[in-house]
Amino acid sequence: MREGEQRLYDLLASYDSVIVAFSGGVDSAYLAWAATQVLGPAALCITADSPSYPDHHRQLAIRIARECGLRHEFVLTAEMERPDYRANPVDRCYHCKHELYTVLTGVARARGVTTIVDGSNADDRSDYRPGRKAAREFGVRSPLDEADLTKAEIRELSRAAGLPTWDEPASACLSSRIPYHSAVTGEKLRMIERAERVLRDFGFRVCRVRHHDDLARVEIGVDELPRALEPDLTARIVAAIEALGYRQVTIDPRGYRMGSLNEGLILRVAG
């Protein structure tokens, strides 16, 4: 067993029971699998369901839970009912995670579960992640981070474990496609999800649709971008997404960039 993997297993073994915040992404899927290996039925994997959670990831979470024998449940979260979330400030993720951990804390209290864990990893320390503040406030542990496991290491461990998520593209909630200070609404989230489903139906793995009111700015993974820019396919993509209600569709020639809506944004993050 590798050093980081052993540290993770030792950490998990130190808990009596855990709730894993399980989105179905690379990190939380590996954490859910590892926690189940160590703690068995004392590991409860919970997926938060809300309008901002893509159905693509919902189905992935269900598949992983079934194939890996996870003890898995969904809970409804109500971040859309929070004005501070809908206003879409730069710390939107804080309000989302605050809602999530409020719900998970209630479940933990009702079930007698001692610890809540999330999938933050060692690479996340250098990124702007306001959701980490909420995790600290609720005492949520991040065992992947505490074990000094990076994203690359988690992918490799996931591959060795046979998890289908090992090469899954990075994911984020649908609200992340809406520019800061532009209100998050159910209608926008539904349009974004339908537009991204169009792109996946065309065979693209890494894709985002950035929602600028009636303009859809499409980002495609750099490796896949030349195909998207073939004139015939570009025309089909534009027509299919315009049919969803967008007046204009553009394919960004720079391709997908994580957090591209943060470009040009100056953030002062409290320590």
Side-chain angles (χ1 to χ4, degrees):
M1 184 176 290
R2 304 177 187 184
E3 183 178 351
E5 185 181 19
Q6 185 63 61
R7 286 195 299 268
L8 174 64
Y9 275 53
D10 290 344
L11 273 169
L12 293 170
S14 71
Y15 307 143
D16 293 327
S17 55
V18 296
I19 286 176
V20 181
F22 171 52
S23 69
V26 177
D27 301 320
S28 69
Y30 178 69
L31 179 60
W33 176 85
T36 300
Q37 297 301 302
V38 174
L39 296 170
L44 173 59
C45 307
I46 295 184
T47 301
D49 203 357
S50 77
S52 67
Y53 184 55
D55 184 64
H56 170 70
H57 296 297
R58 185 182 296 106
Q59 298 306 318
L60 185 59
I62 292 171
R63 174 189 169 192
I64 295 163
R66 181 178 62 247
E67 293 182 358
C68 298
L70 306 182
R71 183 181 167 213
H72 180 228
E73 297 178 11
F74 282 93
V75 295
L76 295 176
T77 54
E79 61 268 23
M80 289 291 289
E81 297 178 13
R82 294 186 173 217
D84 287 338
Y85 177 86
R86 294 196 309 272
N88 200 13
V90 295
D91 65 345
R92 178 197 64 246
C93 289
Y94 167 80
H95 302 287
C96 178
K97 295 298 186 184
H98 192 283
E99 168 67 13
L100 171 63
Y101 297 137
T102 296
V103 172
L104 294 187
T105 297
V107 175
R109 187 179 300 116
R111 307 283 186 90
V113 177
T114 59
T115 308
I116 299 172
V117 297
D118 72 7
S120 296
N121 65 57
D123 290 334
D124 294 332
R125 300 170 194 167
S126 60
D127 196 7
Y128 175 63
R129 292 183 178 263
R132 300 294 297 267
K133 177 185 175 185
R136 290 192 297 270
E137 291 174 356
F138 282 85
V140 174
R141 300 287 295 272
S142 301
L144 298 175
D145 184 8
E146 293 176 43
D148 290 321
L149 287 170
T150 65
K151 174 73 82 173
E153 290 172 321
I154 293 164
R155 287 190 184 278
E156 178 55 29
L157 290 169
S158 298
R159 187 195 61 78
L163 297 179
T165 50
W166 76 271
D167 65 344
E168 182 72 12
S171 60
C173 77
L174 295 171
S175 298
S176 68
R177 280 64 152 171
I178 303 172
Y180 291 125
H181 306 299
S182 177
V184 176
T185 68
E187 180 183 6
K188 291 179 182 178
L189 297 176
R190 287 189 294 273
M191 286 184 70
I192 293 165
E193 182 162 28
R194 288 195 293 266
E196 292 189 354
R197 187 178 300 122
V198 165
L199 297 174
R200 285 194 298 274
D201 288 345
F202 276 117
F204 296 105
R205 293 186 72 245
V206 178
C207 54
R208 295 286 189 274
V209 174
R210 307 297 183 183
H211 182 100
H212 302 268
D213 296 323
D214 58 359
L215 164 68
R217 179 166 59 84
V218 174
E219 294 181 4
I220 301 291
V222 173
D223 292 343
E224 302 175 282
L225 186 58
R227 176 172 166 257
L229 294 176
E230 293 173 2
D232 287 348
L233 185 54
T234 296
R236 293 168 62 198
I237 291 170
V238 169
I241 295 179
E242 284 183 342
L244 301 175
Y246 288 102
R247 294 183 61 188
Q248 185 177 355
V249 178
T250 180
I251 298 179
D252 192 323
R254 294 169 295 179
Y256 167 68
R257 288 140 9 253
M258 184 178 294
S260 68
L261 289 180
N262 290 336
E263 293 171 359
L265 182 67
I266 300 175
L267 300 175
R268 291 185 177 181
V269 184

